[in-house]
Amino acid sequence: MSAVVLAALSALAPMAQENPHLQPLPATPPIGGPIWTIVVPGALLVVAIWGTWLLYRHFAKEE
């Protein structure tokens, strides 16, 4: 990428992020609490580790 294009993009990036007309949505999140912030991510992590272990066992077999 040329230096001119990089300088132009660097100058435009802060302008795109600083918009005073944008306000947060006036809505509450549909899910929350300890179930969704602790239990569900923990369960997903356990399932991902278990699936990775099963894949490792499957492909680590010697032929």
Side-chain angles (χ1 to χ4, degrees), residues 29-41:
I31 57 176
I35 299 266
W36 290 103
T37 58
I38 297 172
V39 175
V40 171

Side-chain angles (χ1 to χ4, degrees), residues 3-62:
V4 175
V5 174
L6 187 59
L9 288 175
S10 297
L12 290 175
M15 283 191 262
Q17 295 172 357
E18 297 172 6
N19 189 346
H21 301 292
L22 291 178
Q23 298 295 324
L25 293 175
T28 58
I31 57 176
I35 299 266
W36 290 103
T37 58
I38 297 172
V39 175
V40 171
L44 289 173
L45 179 64
V46 168
V47 169
I49 290 171
W50 179 63
T52 303
W53 179 71
L54 288 176
L55 284 169
Y56 170 76
R57 280 189 51 211
H58 175 74
F59 287 109
K61 292 179 183 174
E62 293 185 21

